[in-house]
Every structure is written in structure tokens, then in C-alpha cells.
Amino acid sequence: MSTGRPKRLPPGQAVLGAALIAVPLLLAVAGPWLAGEPGPRGVSFTTGGGHWLGTDFTGRDVWRQVLLGGRSVVVTASAATAAAYLIALPIGLAAALTHRAWLEELLMRPWDVVLAVPSLLLMLMAAALFTPSAAGLVLIVALVNVPDAVRIVRAGAAEAASRPAVEAMRMQGEGWWRMAAGYVGRSMLRTLVADAGVRLTGALYLVATAAFLGVGVAPDAADWAVMVDHNRTGLFVQPWAVVVPAVLIVALTTGTNLLFDALLASRARGGSGGKEARRDVPARGTR
């Protein structure tokens, strides 16, 4: 039986998470400035020959592609996660704070329809209908994440929205923004922190999947996910072109989860020890 106390994570978990994401983030930020000018292309899938990690399927230097390929993955996933919350937060908070059942249904039910469509199907549809576009990829990944994010925000805000303090603020004529962001939003920060780690990790995987499908990323782009996809045919001849970008993606996603878990545990230990804001099943209107 649970004691209600926040789970204490191993003290080294945050350090491990930071160590895992340090290299991918450093490469994503500084890599393009360190890459230099492209040299002449060599033979496909070779090792040595002046190339530290060999060459890829088109004869390009793998190390240079690694330096160039992280920014698109990190920026796209981060932008998509931020866009998902920009949409989900006002909708979820409005649904939690309203006393009108019809308005709550109007806000929540359309996202249930989107949630029923598999994310892979959305990616395939986008690949068939649109030309590669970074902005389009951000929009697609955000759209895939919005339904879950709306439900999490709605569920996390429901308990705080039912407190007497919110009713008192209504009676005093406080504005909606002050109630939603100033009180309800602040009360569910732990929920948002926990969900943000999951959402960002999911966005990273979706961005990588989209690159495999050719959505939002040009086939010859310097991108870690594209490198894994296009170089896999030479895995047993020149493995570094696949192994290095794959390890960087895994390190980035795993480290992100570990860091967010550690941050959540730290906030829980320093918090009031009250009820957890997050609910697995929303209170009403979102079943």
C-alpha cells in the first residue's frame, strides 16, 4: 500500500541523466560551427581514408554529418512540445474551470477523435500529402501530442479547480487568467513537469519516425534519424554511420526522462506533501 510519500530517486539519477544528454545537446548546439566546410566525397561505406568515422551511403564524412545532424532533431522536438502545450494548456484549463457541461464537451470531445487516429497513420498521411517542411513536421508532431496533453492538463487542473479558493476568487470577481494561471496552473506544476518529460521524449521518437518516412526532412538532409535510416543497408560494412546517431538519439531520450524524473522527485520532496494533482481518470467529461 502506498504511503503517499514522494518516491526518492537514487541521487545519481540526475547526474546520469545530465551526462547522457550532455553530448547530444553539445553536438546539437555547437556541431554546425565545428563541422567546417565539406570535403570531397569518397567511396560509399568506407572506414579510414582520412575520415574518423568513415563515410556514409553517399560518400560523405560521417563525423561531419553527426556534427550537423543533431540540431534539427532537438529543435523540432522541442518546438513541437512547446506548441502542443500552447494549445493544450488553455483548452484543458478552460475545460476544468467551466461549470457548463456543454462547453466542456465542446472543448474535449474533438481531441478524443484525434486521439483515436494512430500517430503513425497521421505521419503516413502527411508524407503522402505534403512536401518535406520543418514547420509542417512541428505542426504534425504537436497535433499528435495535443490530445494526450489536453487530457493531462484537464485531469491535473480538476482537483485544484474544485477547491473553495477558486470559488472565493470567482465571488470576488477575479479574472479567468488569474484563476487559471495564477492559482490552478501553479498547483499542477508537478504534473506538467512529469508530463513534459514524457511528451518531449515522445516528440523525439516521432521526429525520428518522421525522418524515416520522409516527412519534414529532406532525404539527403544532415539529420541523425535520416542517417540511421539511409545508412542501415551498410550496417555490417560501415556500422558507425548507423550506430553513432542511433546512440545519440537513445542517450538524448533516456537522459531527458531521467532528468525530468529527478526534477519531479526533487519538487515532491520540497513540496507540501499534499495530494498528487494528476489523476489517471479525469473527474468528469473526459471518459
Side-chain angles (χ1 to χ4, degrees):
M1 181 179 295
S2 175
T3 62
R5 295 179 180 177
K7 179 182 178 181
R8 292 186 64 90
L9 296 176
Q13 185 159 340
V15 176
L16 177 59
L20 284 174
I21 69 171
V23 173
L25 286 182
L26 180 62
L27 291 176
V29 173
W33 285 287
L34 299 175
E37 295 297 324
R41 296 196 181 189
V43 180
S44 301
F45 295 133
T46 61
T47 57
H51 304 285
W52 182 38
L53 295 178
T55 59
D56 65 2
F57 71 108
T58 61
R60 296 175 298 186
D61 183 76
V62 169
W63 174 239
R64 186 173 186 275
Q65 294 302 106
V66 168
L67 291 174
L68 295 173
R71 181 169 294 182
S72 60
V73 174
V74 173
V75 170
T76 302
S78 301
T81 303
Y85 279 115
L86 285 176
I87 300 171
L89 278 171
I91 295 174
L93 288 172
L97 286 165
T98 186
H99 286 313
R100 299 175 177 85
W102 66 267
L103 179 57
E104 185 176 357
E105 293 289 318
L106 182 64
L107 289 170
M108 299 300 298
R109 292 309 174 196
W111 298 111
D112 290 343
V113 176
V114 178
L115 188 63
V117 181
S119 58
L120 182 58
L121 179 58
L122 286 176
M123 292 291 183
L124 291 172
M125 291 171 59
L129 296 176
F130 304 106
T131 55
S133 166
L137 179 57
V138 169
L139 182 61
I140 293 168
V141 175
L143 181 61
V144 170
N145 280 281
V146 165
D148 276 334
V150 168
R151 291 169 66 87
I152 291 296
V153 172
R154 163 65 181 81
E159 190 271 337
S162 64
R163 294 175 186 170
V166 175
E167 293 300 325
M169 294 176 75
R170 282 197 178 100
M171 294 177 64
Q172 292 173 3
E174 295 286 358
W176 183 89
W177 179 255
R178 181 174 175 80
M179 287 189 296
Y183 181 78
V184 176
R186 286 170 56 189
S187 71
M188 55 176 296
L189 283 178
R190 285 182 56 202
T191 299
L192 294 179
V193 169
D195 186 61
V198 177
R199 202 69 50 211
L200 180 57
T201 301
L204 287 166
Y205 280 120
L206 283 174
V207 169
T209 302
F212 297 152
L213 299 173
V215 181
V217 183
D220 61 344
D223 181 276
W224 290 342
V226 172
M227 291 178 66
V228 174
D229 180 38
H230 287 185
N231 292 308
R232 68 183 188 276
T233 56
L235 176 62
F236 297 105
V237 178
Q238 213 291 69
W240 300 118
V242 175
V243 172
V244 172
V247 168
L248 289 170
I249 292 174
V250 171
L252 184 60
T253 54
T254 304
T256 298
N257 266 335
L258 290 174
L259 270 183
F260 273 88
D261 285 347
L263 177 60
L264 178 62
S266 175
R267 291 184 62 87
R269 290 194 297 270
S272 61
K275 286 186 177 181
E276 191 76 27
R278 183 169 178 169
R279 294 292 183 268
D280 292 333
V281 181
R284 59 187 177 89
T286 56
R287 289 189 298 172

